[in-house]
Amino acid sequence: TYRAMRGFYTICATPGVATTLNVVNASGFASEYRTPSSSDSAFVFWEGDTNKTSDDAWVPVGISAVTSTTCTYAGSSRSAYTFTFAGSGIPNATFPYAKIQSGSPVRTYETVTLSLYGSGGQQWLGMKVGSGTMQPVVGPLAATSGGIYGFQLTYYDSTGTALTASSTNVPKIRTIKIALRATPNDQEALA
């Protein structure tokens, strides 16, 4: 399960409340894989003390609504979005929203899960977005037998040492090797 980045925006106005934020796709650094959605989440850059970087943070928030708007950024009126955040929005006690600055970045993402998936009596690499339904993506894959798997993940740290799949090793993971092995009749299609 991972956070798939879907857009990169610039805050066009310092927020007046913790539950909404106006963003613009305004510069060469902004990009949009697709239009933001109410099922997305966002990382909002929180500045903290402007004289040091040690207290800066990316604050995760859920987006409950996206509306089109305009906003003045870099001296001109531009098309923008208003993100309405789920719940109480940016946790003001920890990250006072007044410290969020115009011009700061916002990254939108959706949660995607890849998994071994059984369908029609065969195994597939399946994918689902958020809480959606798992769908077969690649396969059919070879059945598991004799230590050979149709779908296998191997995790490595920054030195290339293999890690076991455990919650304590998650912060150490830097590379993931994915092995997909097709059924004998489908190997050419998978290659």
Side-chain angles (χ1 to χ4, degrees):
T1 300
Y2 63 97
R3 295 171 175 148
M5 293 300 143
R6 297 299 183 230
F8 186 83
Y9 304 93
T10 303
I11 297 171
C12 61
T14 302
V17 295
T19 55
T20 62
L21 193 64
N22 289 336
V23 300
V24 63
N25 189 344
S27 70
F29 297 110
S31 65
E32 190 172 81
Y33 171 75
R34 59 155 173 73
T35 303
S37 160
S38 62
S39 62
D40 288 345
S41 295
F43 283 118
V44 177
F45 186 75
W46 185 79
E47 177 59 44
D49 185 337
T50 57
N51 293 318
K52 59 183 178 180
T53 59
S54 60
D55 66 341
D56 297 346
W58 286 95
V59 181
V61 289
I63 298 174
S64 61
V66 177
T67 53
S68 295
T69 188
T70 58
C71 124
T72 301
Y73 181 76
S76 63
S77 180
R78 300 174 185 253
S79 296
Y81 298 112
T82 298
F83 293 159
T84 301
F85 299 133
S88 58
I90 297 165
N92 197 46
T94 308
F95 302 104
Y97 61 82
K99 297 259 185 176
I100 297 173
Q101 313 228 344
S102 176
S104 291
V106 174
R107 299 172 65 181
T108 59
Y109 66 90
E110 61 186 350
T111 302
V112 175
T113 301
L114 295 172
S115 177
L116 185 62
Y117 170 69
S119 177
Q122 300 202 10
Q123 294 181 331
W124 303 77
L125 173 64
M127 183 177 89
K128 73 174 182 173
V129 176
S131 60
T133 303
M134 188 69 69
Q135 299 292 320
V137 178
V138 176
L141 302 175
T144 301
S145 69
I148 301 296
Y149 301 91
F151 173 71
Q152 186 175 11
L153 299 175
T154 308
Y155 306 99
Y156 298 93
D157 67 11
S158 62
T159 67
T161 302
L163 300 169
T164 58
S166 69
S167 59
T168 57
N169 280 337
V170 168
K172 299 174 190 174
I173 295 172
R174 293 297 176 267
T175 306
I176 302 173
K177 177 183 173 183
I178 301 172
L180 299 172
R181 293 177 184 87
T183 60
N185 295 335
D186 296 304
Q187 287 184 359
E188 187 174 311
L190 193 59

